[in-house]
Amino acid sequence: MTLFTLNTRCYRSAVNLKIALGCLIMVISLISCGPGKDETLLAEGQQLATKYCGNCHLTPGPELLDKITWRENVLPAMAERLGIEVLEGNMYLHSQQSTISSPDWQKLLKYYETLAPDSLTKPGQKAPNALQNELFELVKPAEDSVTASTMVVKFDTTVNELLVGPAIEPALYSYNQKLQKTFLEKLLSPPVNISFSVEKGGKYIVTAMGGMRALDETRGQISLIGKDKQAGIVQISRELIRPIETTPIDFNKDNLTDYLVCAFGHNLGGLYLLKQLPDHTFQKVVVKEVPGATHTTIRDFNSDGWPDIMALFAHGDEGIWVFLNNKKGGFEERNILRFPPVYGSSSFQLIDMNADGHEDILYTAGDNSDYSRILKPYHGVYVYTNTGNLTFKQTFFYPINGCTKAVAADFDQDGKVDIATIAFFADLKNKPYEKFLYFKSDPSKPLNFTPFIALPDKMGRWICMDAGDWDGDGDMDIALGNFSRGFLNQERVQPDWNVKMPFVILQNNTIIKPK
């Protein structure tokens, strides 16, 4: 059934005769449109897409998805947001609450269905070679008795331990150098982020998202947990919708620690500050209230002595924004990069990639759990080079299906920045090696990276990653967290990896610590 088919369901679902007659007139008008009018209809459809889609986010071109995905998944979801009832068989019923007329909606549908490809072009690169040197040694803990549900891994280099948080029976654990496991604290919901308190006697700042389901009723928790398991737990907030990251900041320079929170949300959410008051309670301050806040980096971008914020939003209106501190308790917003809503922005890192003294943006796109769960050729790892005055230009891209995160560091200690990537939504059927790749920089060519397979793809399915000097020898090690409970987008794909391994560590052997 196409988008323009009308059957008796439309009549049965119409609430009165006027609506039914409107449906019939719409079909007759479309049938009567001869070939000479197609170009005009498509041009009008493009204008309508810009008006109604571009009102909320960067307008996606028809070429970004195939016809079936547009027709059966994305456009019905858009219809609901425009107040159009979606009937069985993807038939559409307008009402007084609809924000777009039925004729205009049909033109918009025709624009996407006509110009969208039957299938997306797949990148043609060959499989990377295996990493031949002994840069990393694989270190494995004991297997769990249940399917791995690790949501966060974080190195605490001050005590040379790895912090691990599972989604099932949520809690915080630590593993020492001998991979001995210590229980630290039980949590109310799945932990997804760990940062470190800047105050004396530092604690772990643990963000728990409230639940795995994308619901606006889901309230997460932000907690302070002592490094000693006897220290207990202090709740900072329980009111934010699906928070996924918390970072300490004194944004108003009152010598009280505030907390910058990415509340990803669903239809609701935003980037918030939990402002600490003199009585040590917290007041929520809105920085940008739209869903999708994912990750932040704090810098003094305009060199005025006050902390500013760079933030990635990854749901709906995707992109990177800078918030310049106005020194009056608020921020001035500036968009830096913007991406179509089908990109699935997943991470960014601010780091000097080309050794020119200016920080660039390492960015990944690959979240693939929304309305368009297909392999996308624009998923992968990007570098946007700093061109001055908070402007950035794309200078590198490597396609990786479902790329989740990238971490850049000089792993091999050759003076050049390398890249490690994970892809939770990799092409598990044809390219399982995409789950973890190591990109070595070319010493003779800036911003030229060669990918390598550095880990057997049967070890796990990686949803989280951290890099740090775990063993204290001076080089950067890598931890990968295994989540093996569902989210299999591809047909006829079942786990063929170790589903009981909670994490692995790639211990860097570039520098050998003296015994």
Side-chain angles (χ1 to χ4, degrees):
M1 183 180 295
T2 69
L3 289 170
F4 310 108
T5 301
L6 180 69
N7 59 22
T8 56
R9 292 191 186 95
C10 183
Y11 290 100
R12 289 198 301 266
S13 300
V15 294
N16 54 46
L17 180 61
K18 183 182 293 186
I19 295 176
L21 289 173
C23 291
L24 180 59
I25 292 169
M26 187 65 247
V27 172
I28 294 173
S29 66
L30 285 172
I31 293 174
S32 65
C33 289
K37 296 184 178 180
D38 281 353
E39 187 174 340
T40 300
L41 284 175
L42 292 178
E44 292 177 354
Q46 183 179 22
Q47 294 174 355
L48 291 166
T50 301
K51 177 180 178 180
Y52 289 99
C53 303
N55 188 46
C56 298
H57 49 67
L58 192 64
T59 306
E63 74 283 353
L64 292 177
L65 297 172
D66 60 78
K67 292 182 187 296
I68 292 177
T69 303
W70 279 118
R71 181 172 62 241
E72 297 185 359
N73 301 102
V74 177
L75 290 171
M78 179 184 176
E80 292 180 350
R81 291 180 178 273
L82 295 176
I84 304 170
E85 183 181 354
V86 181
L87 309 176
E88 184 181 352
N90 282 357
M91 301 307 302
Y92 299 102
L93 180 64
H94 285 68
S95 67
Q96 292 181 348
Q97 285 70 43
S98 303
T99 58
I100 182 174
S101 69
S102 181
D104 282 349
W105 177 244
Q106 294 297 331
K107 292 175 185 177
L108 189 150
L109 293 180
K110 184 175 179 63
Y111 166 66
Y112 278 104
E113 183 167 78
T114 301
L115 297 184
D118 292 330
S119 62
L120 300 186
T121 302
K122 298 179 181 179
Q125 81 272 15
K126 297 180 180 179
N129 294 323
L131 189 64
Q132 296 298 320
N133 61 31
E134 298 179 353
L135 177 62
F136 297 112
E137 175 186 350
L138 181 61
V139 178
K140 300 182 293 183
E143 294 183 6
D144 283 340
S145 59
V146 297
T147 301
S149 63
T150 303
M151 292 291 290
V152 60
V153 290
K154 184 72 174 180
F155 286 119
D156 183 352
T157 57
T158 64
V159 292
N160 299 114
E161 292 184 350
L162 178 69
L163 304 171
V164 179
I168 305 303
E169 297 185 3
L172 184 65
Y173 299 91
S174 67
Y175 288 78
N176 64 15
Q177 291 286 291
K178 296 181 180 180
L179 295 181
Q180 295 169 324
K181 181 179 180 180
T182 300
F183 170 82
L184 293 180
E185 193 68 51
K186 182 179 179 180
L187 301 173
L188 297 177
S189 65
V192 289
N193 178 258
I194 302 170
S195 57
F196 302 104
S197 172
V198 296
E199 297 176 344
K200 186 177 180 180
K203 296 183 177 182
Y204 301 129
I205 307 168
V206 179
T207 306
M209 68 188 304
M212 299 295 290
R213 298 184 64 190
L215 300 173
D216 288 323
E217 293 79 17
T218 302
R219 305 286 172 170
Q221 305 85 39
I222 301 169
S223 309
L224 289 177
I225 298 177
K227 295 185 178 183
D228 185 334
K229 65 180 181 179
Q230 279 78 38
I233 182 170
V234 176
Q235 298 287 346
I236 297 176
S237 174
R238 293 188 181 185
E239 66 171 26
L240 296 175
I241 301 173
R242 299 179 73 218
I244 62 172
E245 182 188 81
T246 306
T247 305
I249 178 177
D250 182 7
F251 82 102
N252 54 1
K253 301 180 74 169
D254 64 354
N255 295 318
L256 294 173
T257 301
D258 313 303
Y259 296 95
L260 180 65
V261 183
C262 293
F264 191 95
H266 180 48
N267 294 314
L268 305 174
L271 180 63
Y272 303 102
L273 280 159
L274 297 180
K275 175 183 176 182
Q276 187 170 177
L277 304 177
D279 64 357
H280 304 298
T281 60
F282 293 91
Q283 174 188 0
K284 185 173 75 172
V285 177
V286 174
V287 180
K288 184 178 178 67
E289 197 159 41
V290 296
T294 299
H295 174 60
T296 61
T297 294
I298 298 170
R299 295 283 193 276
D300 181 6
F301 290 109
N302 54 6
S303 302
D304 65 353
W306 288 71
D308 307 310
I309 301 165
M310 181 177 284
L312 172 67
F313 286 80
H315 180 64
D317 193 6
E318 298 191 18
I320 295 177
W321 277 259
V322 163
F323 301 91
L324 299 174
N325 199 319
N326 66 10
K327 311 176 191 178
K328 302 176 182 178
F331 295 85
E332 298 174 3
E333 175 183 326
R334 185 185 302 184
N335 178 242
I336 302 301
L337 297 171
R338 208 170 181 209
F339 311 105
V342 295
Y343 261 47
S345 300
S346 48
S347 78
F348 86 94
Q349 181 183 355
L350 201 58
I351 184 172
D352 186 357
M353 297 293 295
N354 56 1
D356 67 352
H358 302 286
E359 289 188 310
D360 310 300
I361 293 175
L362 179 68
Y363 162 82
T364 61
D367 186 5
N368 216 6
S369 60
D370 220 327
Y371 300 112
S372 55
R373 300 182 183 184
I374 60 172
L375 300 178
K376 302 181 175 81
Y378 41 85
H379 276 178
V381 57
Y382 296 75
V383 173
Y384 289 88
T385 301
N386 193 331
T387 53
N389 194 31
L390 291 177
T391 60
F392 296 84
K393 177 183 178 181
Q394 182 184 324
T395 51
F396 176 80
F397 169 69
Y398 185 87
I400 303 172
N401 291 294
C403 194
T404 303
K405 186 175 182 178
V407 174
D410 184 7
F411 290 104
D412 58 6
Q413 299 287 303
D414 67 350
K416 300 288 184 180
V417 173
D418 311 301
I419 305 171
T421 64
I422 57 171
F424 184 67
F425 293 106
D427 183 352
L428 300 174
K429 183 185 298 184
N430 304 302
K431 299 179 180 180
Y433 57 80
E434 291 181 317
K435 289 184 289 183
F436 177 79
L437 290 173
Y438 172 73
F439 291 78
K440 180 173 173 51
S441 62
D442 186 338
S444 63
K445 297 179 181 179
L447 298 174
N448 189 55
F449 302 92
T450 303
F452 291 93
I453 299 172
L455 179 68
D457 57 64
K458 304 295 185 185
M459 294 305 305
R461 187 183 181 195
W462 319 118
I463 197 171
C464 53
M465 171 173 59
D466 192 35
D469 187 8
W470 179 61
D471 52 7
D473 64 356
D475 53 28
M476 297 288 280
D477 309 299
I478 298 173
L480 306 174
N482 182 13
F483 189 98
S484 293
R485 303 180 66 90
F487 295 98
L488 297 169
N489 287 350
Q490 294 172 283
E491 294 182 358
R492 298 183 297 278
V493 169
Q494 293 298 321
D496 61 354
W497 56 86
N498 189 332
V499 300
K500 299 297 180 69
M501 184 67 63
F503 65 89
V504 298
I505 294 175
L506 296 177
Q507 186 167 291
N508 195 330
N509 288 326
T510 302
I511 300 175
I512 304 299
K513 186 177 181 180
K515 294 183 179 181

